[in-house]
């Protein structure tokens, strides 16, 4: 039985007992609890945001005579918006549909079956079930539950990832990596860096598949599914379902819109969303932008999204690439060990792109 909405035990019920937002909604919630009320400046005005109108990039053309034009589209999006959608990416569309169905099925399991993977009790450090982002440090909680699966190798994934989702999640990861490598090659070559397998292997050393679940919300105008943030890694691959709710902040005036404007990335059947992470912004000395983004909730139907996060190893030393610094004349970011950046990123609530201040030279 869920506690009353003004009960101090609500936090325990949702977070510590592993019931998640879904458990709260399933208990018959009709209003948004105080703990989830976002301050007005963080709320998402759906009517004020326009939809991003750029068509998806056809990646099949990278291997043909239109390679240079497609590469230019990728570079332009990475430099200005930090997000773009791709089709003909090599991941079977049937697999994408299966992923969405599997995610809904997993979050439809009993709380007890999901809660065994809470960080405090999970049988493996590779799998974590949770809610919000850093609940203990957030002024307002995010309307989201998730399961996170770190990848080390196929054998450990098949042995340790949840049985209900391991096969389809692993196939998603396997079939996506060729695309990710191609995209990274395009971005590096545009910087004047010879993109051999070694540097790409370093930048994609660590991989993680998440399934995010956004239950229906009594009043989406008062909440957020995910607060403003940029992804900390190299590149993120994201599968949206058909409901939508992903919003991107435009960092500077461009063909995509005006600085500070929020645009919605509408779902496209069969497409994947690619977003630039903080590590690419730092390596490019700010030429590429890790996009600030957030997610709106919905009152009509529960939403799922399935991202693949890629990043260097925790022990890797990260700094702007010397070829880029030589051309620019100065570095915008200092060298650091990724583990220290991760500790800062995961130790704080979402707050736009503030995480980049950790590495910025002369950050205010």
């Amino acid at each position: 039985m869920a506690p009353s909405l003004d009960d101090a035990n609500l936090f325990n019920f949702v977070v510590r007992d592993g019931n998640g937002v879904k458990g709260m909604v399933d208990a018959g919630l009709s209003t948004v609890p105080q703990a989830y009320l976002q301050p007005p400046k963080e709320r998402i005005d759906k009517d004020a945001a326009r939809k991003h109108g750029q068509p998806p990039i056809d990646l099949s053309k990278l291997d043909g005579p239109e390679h240079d034009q497609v590469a230019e589209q990728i570079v332009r999006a990475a430099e200005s918006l930090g997000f773009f959608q791709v089709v003909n990416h090599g991941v079977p569309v049937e697999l994408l549909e299966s992923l969405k169905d599997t995610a809904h099925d997993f979050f439809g399991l009993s709380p007890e079956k999901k809660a065994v993977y809470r960080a405090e009790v999970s049988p493996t450090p590779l799998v974590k079930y949770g809610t919000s982002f850093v609940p203990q440090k957030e002024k307002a909680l995010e309307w989201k539950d998730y399961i996170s699966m770190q990848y080390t190798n196929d054998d450990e994934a098949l042995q340790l990832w949840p049985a209900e989702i391991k096969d389809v999640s692993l196939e998603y990861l396997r079939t996506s990596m060729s695309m990710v490598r191609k995209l990274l090659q395009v971005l590096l070559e545009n910087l004047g860096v010879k993109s051999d397998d070694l540097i790409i292997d370093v930048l994609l050393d660590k991989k993680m598949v998440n399934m995010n679940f956004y239950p229906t919300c009594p009043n989406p105008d008062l909440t957020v599914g995910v607060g403003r943030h940029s992804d900390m890694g190299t590149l993120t691959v994201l599968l949206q379902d058909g409901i939508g709710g992903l919003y991107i902040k435009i960092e500077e005036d461009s063909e995509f819109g005006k600085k500070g404007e929020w645009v919605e990335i509408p779902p496209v059947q069969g497409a994947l969303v690619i977003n630039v992470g903080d590590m690419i912004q730092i390596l490019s000395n700010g030429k590429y932008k890790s996009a600030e983004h957030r997610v709106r909730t919905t009152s009509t139907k529960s939403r799922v999204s399935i991202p693949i996060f890629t990043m260097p190893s925790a022990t890797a030393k990260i700094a702007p690439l010397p070829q880029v610094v030589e051309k620019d004349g100065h570095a915008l970011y200092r060298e650091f060990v990724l583990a220290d950046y991760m500790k800062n990123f995961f130790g704080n609530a979402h707050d736009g792109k503030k995480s980049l201040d950790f590495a910025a030279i002369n950050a205010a």
Side-chain angles (χ1 to χ4, degrees):
M1 179 70 185
S4 61
L5 300 183
D6 58 354
D7 195 320
N9 288 324
L10 181 67
F11 184 89
N12 291 346
F13 175 84
V14 174
V15 178
R16 293 179 186 156
D17 297 342
N19 289 285
V21 179
K22 185 175 188 301
M24 185 172 62
V25 171
D26 288 348
L29 191 76
S30 59
T31 58
V32 175
Q34 182 70 33
Y36 290 88
L37 293 177
Q38 295 288 332
K41 68 183 181 68
E42 298 297 343
R43 298 173 187 174
I44 301 174
D45 186 348
K46 184 177 182 180
D47 296 330
R50 62 180 180 80
K51 291 190 185 298
H52 177 59
Q54 293 289 325
I57 297 172
D58 184 349
L59 291 188
S60 67
K61 295 181 179 179
L62 267 180
D63 299 322
E66 296 179 64
H67 173 276
D68 290 351
Q69 295 97 307
V70 176
E72 174 59 28
Q73 291 175 21
I74 293 167
V75 165
R76 197 164 66 241
E79 288 177 342
S80 53
L81 195 60
F83 265 82
F84 51 96
Q85 299 200 71
V86 294
V87 292
N88 295 323
H89 37 60
V91 184
V93 174
E94 301 79 18
L95 175 62
L96 300 182
E97 293 306 309
S98 179
L99 269 165
K100 290 182 277 191
D101 292 341
T102 302
H104 276 288
D105 290 344
F106 177 80
F107 288 100
L109 294 173
S110 67
E112 295 77 19
K113 288 188 175 181
K114 294 174 290 188
V116 297
Y117 292 106
R118 286 187 302 116
E120 299 84 357
V121 298
S122 179
T124 168
L126 300 181
V127 181
K128 177 187 174 186
Y129 169 75
T131 190
S132 198
F133 181 61
V134 188
Q136 292 79 4
K137 295 203 172 185
E138 290 164 343
K139 294 178 181 177
L141 297 174
E142 299 176 349
W143 199 268
K144 178 190 79 170
D145 301 330
Y146 67 89
I147 184 84
S148 172
M149 298 165 283
Q150 291 186 45
Y151 176 82
T152 49
N153 57 61
D154 286 7
D155 288 343
E156 286 200 343
L158 291 171
Q159 180 184 349
L160 299 172
W161 289 7
E164 298 86 354
I165 56 179
K166 63 184 180 182
D167 292 319
V168 69
S169 298
L170 185 56
E171 189 62 19
Y172 175 43
L173 180 61
R174 283 173 178 157
T175 53
S176 295
M177 291 316 296
S178 174
M179 166 192 63
V180 174
R181 296 181 77 90
K182 283 183 181 180
L183 293 171
L184 199 49
Q185 185 176 8
V186 167
L187 295 174
L188 289 171
E189 289 181 351
N190 179 65
L191 297 175
V193 178
K194 182 171 170 37
S195 57
D196 57 27
D197 285 341
L198 182 60
I199 187 172
I200 290 178
D201 287 344
V202 168
L203 295 177
L204 303 178
D205 181 80
K206 187 175 180 181
K207 307 167 194 71
M208 188 163 63
V209 181
N210 278 24
M211 287 185 171
N212 299 324
F213 185 74
Y214 305 92
T216 53
C217 178
N219 192 336
D221 292 336
L222 303 178
T223 60
V224 296
V226 180
R228 298 177 297 106
H229 73 289
S230 56
D231 290 351
M232 61 142 289
T234 302
L235 292 175
T236 300
V237 179
L238 177 73
L239 171 62
Q240 293 198 84
D241 65 11
I243 295 173
L246 174 63
Y247 292 79
I248 313 302
K249 187 177 183 180
I250 296 175
E251 196 159 317
E252 54 189 42
D253 290 349
S254 70
E255 65 198 89
F256 301 112
K258 294 182 178 180
K259 180 178 179 178
E261 186 181 14
W262 287 91
V263 295
E264 183 177 4
I265 306 295
V268 175
Q269 181 71 17
L272 289 167
V273 178
I274 307 296
N275 91 278
V276 173
D278 288 351
M279 295 307 106
I280 292 293
Q281 176 162 332
I282 291 167
L283 288 162
S284 70
N285 206 35
K287 185 175 179 67
Y288 299 135
K289 306 294 189 296
S290 61
E292 184 175 336
H293 56 288
R294 57 186 181 177
V295 175
R296 193 176 190 273
T297 58
T298 173
S299 61
T300 55
K301 189 178 180 183
S302 295
R303 175 181 182 266
V304 294
S305 68
I306 302 103
I308 296 172
F309 299 105
T310 64
M311 62 195 76
S313 73
T315 57
K317 289 184 177 180
I318 307 296
L321 293 162
Q323 299 94 323
V324 183
V325 175
E326 184 178 354
K327 185 186 292 185
D328 293 348
H330 65 285
L332 297 177
Y333 304 97
R334 63 178 177 84
E335 183 179 81
F336 57 90
V337 176
L338 183 62
D340 295 331
Y341 193 95
M342 291 174 67
K343 184 177 179 182
N344 176 70
F345 184 87
F346 290 108
N348 294 285
H350 283 145
D351 189 9
K353 294 183 67 170
K354 195 173 181 180
S355 55
L356 279 162
D357 290 349
F358 175 85
I361 294 174
N362 296 326

